[in-house]
Amino acid sequence: MNSSIWTDTIWTDTIWTDTIWTDTIWTDTIWTDTIWTDIVLNFEQSRRDFLCRSGGGFASVALSALLAEESRANQLPTLPIDPLNPLAERVAQLAPRAKSVIFLFQYGGPSTFDLLDYKPELLKLNGKPVPESLKRQPDRVGGVFNHCKDELMAGPWKWAQHGESGHWVSELLPHTARHIDDLCQVRSMYSESSNHAPATYLMNTGAILGGKPSLGSWVTYGLGSANQNLPGYVLLYKVGGLGGSANWSNAFLPAAFQGTQFRHEGSPVLNLQPPASLADVQRSTLDFAQTLNRKHASLRPGVLDLDGRIASYELAYRMQSAALDIGELSLETQATQESYGLQDANKDKALFGRMCLLSRRLVEKGVRFVQLYNAVDKLGWDGHDHNTEFHNRNAAQTDQPIAALLADLKQRGLLDSTLVIWAGEFGRTPMKQGNDGRNHNPYGFTIWMAGGGVNGGKVIGATDEIGLRAVDEPQSVKNLHATILTALGLSPDHLYFEHNGRQERLTGVAQSWRTIPGVFS
Amino acid sequence: MALRRSIIGRMLLSAFLSLVVSQADANDSHPFVESILPLLESKCLSCHGREKQEGGLRLDSLAAAMAGGDSGPAIVPGNIAKSLFIKAISFRDPDLQMPPRQKLSDKDIELLTNWVQSGAAWPEPVAVLFEDEPQFLAALTSGNGKGRIIREDRFAGKVALGITPLQRDGVKIPDWNFLIREQPKPGEHRYMRLAWKKRGEGSVMIELASNGNWPDAKVAKGRYFAGANSTGWSAVSVAPVAPTDWTVVTLDLWKDIGEFTLTGIAPTCDRGEEAFFDSILLGPSIASLDAYRPGAGLPTDTETNPIGDAFTDKRNPIRKIFRGERLDLWSLRKPDPESAVIAARRIDRTTDPTLTAATGSQSIDAFIRERITKAGIKPSVEADKRTLIRRVTFDLTGLPPTPAEIDAFVTDKSTDAYDALVTRLLNSPRYGERQARLWLDVVRYADTNGYERDEFRPLAWQYRDYVIRAFHQDKPFDQFIREQIAGDELLAAQRKSAHPTEKITDIELRPQSQDEADQLIATGFLRLGQWDSTAAIFQEEVRLRAEQMADLTNTTASAFLGLTISCCQCHDHKYDPFSQADHFRLRSFFAAVTPRDDLTVSLADEQAAIDENNAALDRQAAPLKAEQAKLDKANQERHEKLKASISEIEGRRRRPRFAMGATDSGGTAPATHIFYQGDFGSPREEVVPGFVSIFTPGPAAIEPPTDGTTGRRLALANWIASADNPWTARVIVNRVWQQHFGTGLVATPNDFGFTGARPTHPELLDWLAIEFMQSNWSIKQLHRMIVLSATYRQSSIAPAGQAVRASPDPDNELLWRQNVRRLDAETLRDNLLAVSGLLKPFQTGKPVWPPVPDELLKAQPAILEAEKGGDGGRMQGWYTDPIEQTDVRSIFLVRKRCLPVPFLQAFDLPDTTVSCARRDTTVVAPQALMFLNSPEALRYAEALADRLAPPNEEFSFADSDKTRAVIQSLFRQTLGRSADDQELMLATELLVRHTDKHRQAERNAAEHLALVDLCRAILNLNEFVYLD
């Protein structure tokens, strides 16, 4: 850093009048007003860039003043947690649009321009090299051309327009196509790694490093849960994303906000039931322990954890039956079961159908956040070779159950209060890799949201003509997270937890995000 | 992209030379920059600069100085008589004397006077197009030559640019819009200067883009070359022969080309091997270019007068960044031995006037009592002996006392019974295991890499065992720090001091003793973070390295110093007085770290045996190999036989024992750059190793112990492990305190900054830190001092008549009672193993893989791949050991990043990504399910029941004496106490009732099942899980 203050003489006082810093900008209400926030954010971003670029001592002073302002704007404490009932429902910070989330995670990186992002140009260029104008080497994350041939490859699927919106959908998703007017598509997502684990961590925890709380943990921390007899954050998977438990970790948030896996077969929660030989004495055993526990606690007044643990045993006892009920899919009508594909000859589809139906039953009971992983093996959508087979298989497994879920939620009046998200960790290349495969592509891919007050039938952003890069309104994963939090009535900057001296947030540094414009009307 | 840098040039009429060619001299400099500017900066500008303008005067530009202040023009060039500035510094006029407090030296006055007399030449800005920015190369995006950044041979910048035939070019370089005109206004230019040279035949050339276009090939304008041009492009010849050594060329662009906007360049190598470029500048005048010192920027007076700490030196960058604020952070002042002693004496006398020399423990009590007394609270009484032995045994060893140990202690009426108990516990090997567990949290230890593949690290456990040994041996904590950060360099330094005359070119690391081997194993600390083995596949190595370096820096700062330096990755710290540069200065201490999995740690005897074994094999194989060499190729059968025999012999070779650690990559380290907003894709200025700027803003003094290592980490380790460091001792003392009370004296052990908690007892913290350092950084002494104190020995139950919530201190910050604490995950499991009699005796070595539900394993893509044999031997899987081998203490269980052992995870097992300073103790329902219903929990209950009454033993609860004995034994075994009458009654009822139920359900061994139920109930009690 150049220590000379001489360089600073170019920053005349007129540029830096106090008028830019007026208190009116820094009112506490800025974050309640989306438009105003956007104005401030855009201004803030450019000012911050400017300050940082200018480099010198004065700039640093100004930056630190700016940061100090930020800290002043964030005087809300870390949310208090009641030891007797850590999942107690909280009032949302902003007006909520949705109450629950079902996140349909599409592991492996679906080739979204083979599914939803129609690219007629790619069909024309099939077999041809990538146009020179699109060959710019990516500057951040390497690799997109490195393992591919310089040959574009169109998918073999037919496309047709659907719904009132008339959006194109590939024949891979005939069932989803019927709901196209309910989907709000963001076609210009980008990720920050082209590698499964870091990109999956990013999509689930907001950081490519792992070790941060997952979206579901943040949401249950922010809102608690509406059903105290069930976990607030439920995971449904046969095979989870690469990188393991860090994808659904509570990390430094209290364990009350960790995801609980509902199993796809057998008892719905691990260790939910005692072995048969102990089932009929469970209550009696518990009564004995609780009598002694209460006596122990009465001698130690003020140690709330002791009362909390007594309460947790009663909750666990209630959870035994509540969770069992949730898992009882036979209570659903035959028609419902069939719509989800529960009896389908394709076992993998039937399994995914069970997960989708379970997720509806869970949100119906007030569970806050449900996350499904689509994969039944390590492969998922990851078609490095034979991309067509990968996509045929995964679409066949997921399309009908997802459509059934949307229809079911809608029919029960739950879709308005349930935000459904469909997203993978990244997309794939339009260039050919190996044996008719496609490589990872973090530079442009599509996700969709439905329900929860989003604009159905809307398409936001665009990739270039071959689907390689987001060129119109590129959206970061952070923006997606901010959008999800906002939908639930959580203010991204005010949802934080003090850890190791930092205010940790899902969306990182305050005001470094924007909600995706156009998702909500 | 920071391709531009403005500095000061000089306002002088310049000679209109078309071309100026001169021999290179990097030390060419301008007198203004050399001597005048530093004087103005250090003596005048603090009052007459941008921030302050005393008397309305600014002296930060010639125009401002000529305009002057309230009294008139300060400088009139060429006229010292009319220059008030000269009048003031000469001290001739008693009413006008500057600087006010101290007259300048005669030499300085003379310098300034001559400068004004000769016209007050004052340089003006030049633009640095390229000098030391490695990312400059990225701006040259096309052309068919190859470009590289050269560090070793450069002209004057930190790097030079090398181009092989033909050229690299950028017709529009980001941020480049330089207006070239005859009479440049501020921010505009006329002249270009650069240094170039050539290797091999042909010419060196540079082409300039005007308004986003290259010059016409047939027109020479805008193209300059030296040597014989064979490119076919017309160009202006600067010299007939291409220079073989650095040569500076100065070009009058306006004269040669006319008025235009320079937007890009193409450095070109016409044939031969490589052309080199460096220090490409634009300036409005030749003089401004002359005034610029390539590579050095503006001179400062810091070389002759190093900048001091922020408390005493106004020039300290932290003072500038934080406007002199934030210096009042308590933890910045190091604990002072004298005031600690004074405080202790004051306290001791106040509490007990008869005391002459208090023991350490009594001093602790005195500090604590002082605040309790002031608050008007009664302290608790001493806990009963059963409670005490349970508490101290768990705290020091992480295990429960056995009933026999409890009885022995309770019946020992001697005055030093407790003292003896503490001594026994501190000497127990279990003590090392417990303390190691807590340290492994702090350094985020795991046995696997994390990320996609999460491969097993087969040698990581050696670090874990090293930590256990270190605590067991009570290794001085400062030594423990040095070994972890720089054990290899420490060993190298020891070798060097033992053989001072020998030239040691590489680090001779062969350890001669276990202590020396431990120094190498300790460097495993540098390897504990996550590592993504797949990053290279997707060309993400740069990102990965940036993450690893940040992780290592942040962990070191958290673990040893309690600093949240991680905040400074992107910007100056929001709260604490640390700059962004501070993060990167610390980071650069690790710049040369190279992972090593081949550090030999076999000792001499062991190595001799290995060598002997291998030599014998060589002797055995030698004749076979000889025969093989001579053998006729036709004799296929004999050939195969020989091959098989040799391979069998080779298979018996033994390898030395290796450790997972790190050394430097050699005597030099790659450059460390500050990342703009923390983004690895935006490197900015280079930094060199330095400690936090608030104390020492200059570079750290580093002496490499040998030629093969940089010595950086050793310098860092010595700074951390020093009594002068204000944080180190306090941080570890606080961690140990937290272990015994649940909360530290500073409640945020990894954050000693403004957002962290303030110490509840600052004097006590300092006194403990001083005592600790004075007793040779002994952790065992520290434990002893704390657990022998009356404060520690208090009951956790409030004294009679003292309401808890209504007391002035409901949260017990003042420690008027002990805290009730939940056992952490590992201690819980170890406790279950211990009381059920399953716990295996002491074991070290490779980690143990406990059984995990199959569906959890199958849910992990990486593990699935391994189970199908598809991981190429990378050990991505889960390698379950037979269950009877897994009943070891939890510290010996494998710590797999993508799949924590579920039983432990349920109880707030910390994440292994960042340093964990304090375990959470959340209470949630899944824990109850785990404790009630999991196969593990049932197994413990069954084993405990078997222990109380073997299942094959005929047994009836009708026998009330026997029933009572079993129940009492159960209570003593698990809770360390006898059951009272009510508990006896309830337990007996349960046994009878459950026996009936099991009989009705026609289950075998109904009595035994009922006993299992009772055991299960007891293991679920709060009393079993919480410590009084």
Side-chain angles (χ1 to χ4, degrees), chain A residues 35 75 139 194 199 214 345 381 438:
Chain A
I35 302 166
Q75 287 303 310
D139 45 8
S194 53
S214 55
W381 294 95
R438 297 191 188 282

Side-chain angles (χ1 to χ4, degrees), chain B residues 58-109:
Chain B
R58 290 177 75 144
L59 287 171
D60 52 1
S61 74
L62 184 59
M66 285 168 68
D70 303 342
S71 327
I75 291 177
V76 180
N79 190 336
I80 45 175
K82 285 190 179 165
S83 298
L84 290 175
F85 174 70
I86 299 298
K87 193 173 174 185
I89 61 170
S90 66
F91 271 57
R92 284 192 306 260
D93 180 346
D95 293 331
L96 183 60
Q97 297 190 334
M98 290 287 160
R101 286 204 192 86
Q102 194 172 10
K103 194 181 168 190
L104 299 174
S105 70
D106 290 349
K107 188 172 146 265
D108 289 344
I109 295 171

Side-chain angles (χ1 to χ4, degrees), chain A residues 1 6 52 61 140-141 143 147 193-195 209 240 263 271 278 282 284 293 295 300 309 313 500-501, chain B residues 45 60 122 323 530 534 537 539-540 564 676 679 751 855 859 933 980 993-994 1013 1016 1020 1022 1028:
Chain A
M1 197 168 282
W6 290 79
C52 290
V61 170
R140 270 199 69 81
V141 197
H147 299 277
S193 173
S194 53
N195 205 349
L209 271 174
R263 306 156 83 200
N271 305 318
L278 297 178
Q282 183 86 323
S284 155
N293 276 343
K295 183 171 138 200
R300 291 159 183 80
R309 193 161 182 272
Y313 271 77
N500 276 359
Chain B
L45 296 189
D60 52 1
W122 196 306
R323 300 186 201 176
Q530 298 191 97
T534 61
I537 300 173
Q539 288 79 48
E540 296 190 9
T564 56
Y676 171 64
D679 175 10
D751 181 8
E855 63 190 84
N933 298 337
D980 63 23
R993 195 168 63 244
H994 284 207
D1013 292 343
R1016 192 163 152 252
N1020 273 281
N1022 281 353
D1028 263 320

Side-chain angles (χ1 to χ4, degrees), chain B residues 511-818:
Chain B
Q512 306 294 318
S513 64
Q514 187 58 44
D515 278 349
E516 290 193 352
D518 274 356
Q519 295 185 16
L520 295 180
I521 295 170
T523 62
F525 165 77
L526 303 166
R527 300 284 307 282
L528 297 177
Q530 298 191 97
W531 183 66
D532 186 354
S533 62
T534 61
I537 300 173
F538 297 94
Q539 288 79 48
E540 296 190 9
E541 299 99 322
V542 180
R543 171 177 69 73
L544 182 65
R545 173 165 168 89
E547 278 165 11
Q548 285 190 290
M549 295 298 288
D551 173 38
L552 194 46
T553 309
N554 298 340
T555 303
T556 302
S558 301
F560 300 111
L561 303 171
L563 295 185
T564 56
I565 210 81
S566 59
C567 298
C568 304
Q569 276 166 252
C570 308
H571 48 71
D572 296 330
H573 204 289
K574 277 168 88 168
Y575 308 108
D576 300 339
F578 307 116
S579 65
Q580 191 191 8
D582 281 336
H583 173 91
F584 290 89
R585 280 154 57 91
L586 286 177
R587 191 188 275 211
S588 68
F589 281 105
F590 298 106
V593 167
T594 306
R596 296 280 300 270
D597 290 313
D598 58 348
L599 293 174
T600 305
V601 288
S602 327
L603 300 186
D605 290 356
E606 202 180 337
Q607 192 58 43
I610 294 168
D611 291 347
E612 195 180 313
N613 170 67
N614 293 352
L617 295 175
D618 286 344
R619 284 194 298 277
Q620 217 180 327
L624 302 179
K625 283 182 176 167
E627 188 190 341
Q628 196 181 30
K630 278 185 247 157
L631 199 63
D632 184 355
K633 276 198 180 117
N635 194 344
Q636 197 62 34
E637 195 183 328
R638 181 64 188 154
H639 210 81
E640 288 299 317
K641 202 165 176 192
L642 280 174
K643 209 171 135 190
S645 310
I646 292 169
S647 137
E648 185 273 330
I649 293 168
E650 292 291 334
R652 283 186 279 137
R653 290 188 79 85
R654 284 175 54 202
R655 294 198 319 164
R657 201 150 49 87
F658 292 131
M660 177 189 93
T663 62
D664 275 2
S665 50
T668 55
T672 300
H673 293 267
I674 292 178
F675 293 154
Y676 171 64
Q677 291 192 347
D679 175 10
F680 65 87
S682 311
R684 291 294 187 265
E685 64 260 44
E686 186 175 334
V687 295
V688 295
F691 309 123
V692 287
S693 304
I694 190 169
F695 295 128
T696 42
I702 294 171
E703 208 175 311
T706 70
D707 292 344
T709 192
T710 62
R712 290 186 177 194
R713 285 175 290 115
L714 191 52
L716 177 66
N718 284 332
W719 175 70
I720 292 176
S722 151
D724 286 333
N725 188 301
W727 298 290
T728 313
R730 281 175 174 146
V731 166
I732 183 63
V733 160
N734 189 56
R735 292 192 198 284
V736 171
W737 185 273
Q738 172 184 274
Q739 186 185 339
H740 293 297
F741 294 96
T743 305
L745 292 166
V746 178
T748 51
N750 272 6
D751 181 8
F752 275 39
F754 277 118
T755 54
R758 299 291 172 277
T760 52
H761 300 78
E763 286 178 330
L764 171 57
L765 179 65
D766 285 4
W767 181 85
L768 281 169
I770 298 286
E771 281 288 308
F772 172 65
M773 289 188 280
Q774 286 175 353
S775 52
N776 195 25
W777 302 69
S778 162
I779 299 279
K780 281 192 179 178
Q781 280 305 313
L782 180 61
H783 277 300
R784 166 179 286 281
M785 215 154 62
I786 295 172
V787 301
L788 286 179
S789 72
T791 305
Y792 175 81
R793 287 151 74 167
Q794 292 177 97
S795 166
S796 59
I797 294 170
Q802 188 157 296
V804 178
R805 299 314 304 178
S807 98
D809 180 30
D811 294 330
N812 194 29
E813 200 174 75
L814 303 182
L815 292 175
W816 49 270
R817 61 175 169 89
Q818 234 319 347

Side-chain angles (χ1 to χ4, degrees), chain A residues 5-6 9, chain B residues 40 44-54 56-61:
Chain A
I5 60 163
W6 290 79
T9 54
Chain B
L40 293 173
C44 312
L45 296 189
S46 55
C47 299
H48 302 287
R50 189 177 58 79
E51 284 175 27
K52 264 206 242 170
Q53 297 89 34
E54 298 273 328
L57 175 65
R58 290 177 75 144
L59 287 171
D60 52 1
S61 74

